[in-house]
Amino acid sequence: MANEKQTLVDELQALLEQNVAEVKEQVENLKNQFYRLYHEEQAALKKAAEEAAEAAGEVLQDWQPQIDEAEAKFRELLNIYKEKRAVLAKQMEENMAQNLLRKENIISQMKDIASAETADVMDNLKKVRDLQAEWKSIGAVPQNKVQTLWKQYQLYQEQFYDLVKINIELRD
């Protein structure tokens, strides 16, 4: 069992060298396998201690699980994994905050374009299309802001296209 546990420790060490976002499931599997082996080993040690105490005519009182090198190393590696996941989560959160600012900026620009009465609508059409392309290229934003942003974006987009339609009708 000790050999199997050490193999799992080595596998976890190797996984930590990879991108943490891609190895979550593998780490969970290793964790489950390791602790299954660890608990089986501890149960066997407890049973052996109980049998030894019974053979000596005593009752096993305060048996404590024994921590071995493999378990300590595995726990240390799991802590490193958790720290890396926390850093990744913080980076993603910061990235989403930046994306939110970029999308809010696009909405502001679209609002200005949609509310401009004297501007040449056809010149603004290119600007709006560029803003739409930029909007699509921006990544995720915080989940609680998605719906509000989308509604605002759609509103100003519709207002602009209403101006385009009015402009075309006036030309005709």
Side-chain angles (χ1 to χ4, degrees):
M1 261 192 222
N3 218 7
E4 290 177 62
K5 288 191 319 185
Q6 187 57 48
T7 302
L8 294 173
V9 168
D10 294 340
E11 286 180 34
L12 180 58
Q13 179 100 39
L15 284 177
L16 290 179
E17 312 259 329
Q18 299 176 22
N19 185 351
V20 229
E22 300 172 359
V23 296
K24 180 180 180 183
E25 191 173 311
Q26 294 163 302
V27 169
E28 286 299 317
N29 287 338
L30 287 177
K31 182 178 163 185
N32 291 337
Q33 290 175 24
F34 182 87
Y35 281 108
R36 182 183 46 79
L37 287 173
Y38 176 74
H39 291 300
E40 287 174 2
E41 186 179 79
Q42 292 301 312
L45 289 172
K46 183 176 181 180
K47 184 175 181 181
E50 287 172 344
E51 289 173 355
E54 188 177 306
E58 301 172 357
V59 176
L60 184 62
Q61 296 286 330
D62 296 324
W63 187 83
Q64 296 292 324
Q66 298 175 5
I67 298 176
D68 59 7
E69 279 184 39
E71 201 275 337
K73 180 69 176 174
F74 196 82
R75 196 173 287 196
E76 177 186 324
L77 292 173
L78 282 177
N79 286 334
I80 292 170
Y81 170 74
K82 288 176 185 176
E83 289 170 8
K84 286 184 174 186
R85 294 266 310 166
V87 167
L88 179 66
K90 186 174 187 219
Q91 288 173 344
M92 288 177 64
E93 192 175 300
E94 289 171 358
N95 190 18
M96 287 183 3
Q98 289 295 323
N99 291 344
L100 176 63
L101 290 175
R102 288 176 62 197
K103 285 193 173 189
E104 286 173 341
N105 183 35
I106 289 173
I107 288 171
S108 174
Q109 291 178 46
M110 289 190 74
K111 179 181 178 182
D112 292 343
I113 292 171
S115 63
E117 296 174 11
T118 59
D120 184 12
V121 176
M122 291 306 157
D123 285 341
N124 287 339
L125 185 59
K126 181 177 178 355
K127 291 178 188 173
V128 168
R129 288 195 175 138
D130 290 343
L131 290 173
Q132 289 170 332
E134 185 179 347
W135 179 275
K136 289 178 184 177
S137 71
I138 297 173
V141 296
Q143 190 62 39
N144 61 344
K145 302 286 186 183
V146 171
Q147 191 172 10
T148 306
L149 282 174
W150 182 248
K151 285 180 180 180
Q152 289 178 338
Y153 175 75
Q154 286 294 100
L155 172 71
Y156 296 123
Q157 190 171 326
E158 287 174 18
Q159 285 180 359
F160 174 74
Y161 282 115
D162 287 344
L163 284 176
V164 170
K165 184 179 176 184
I166 290 170
N167 186 289
I168 291 171
E169 288 174 359
L170 287 175
R171 283 187 183 175
D172 290 343

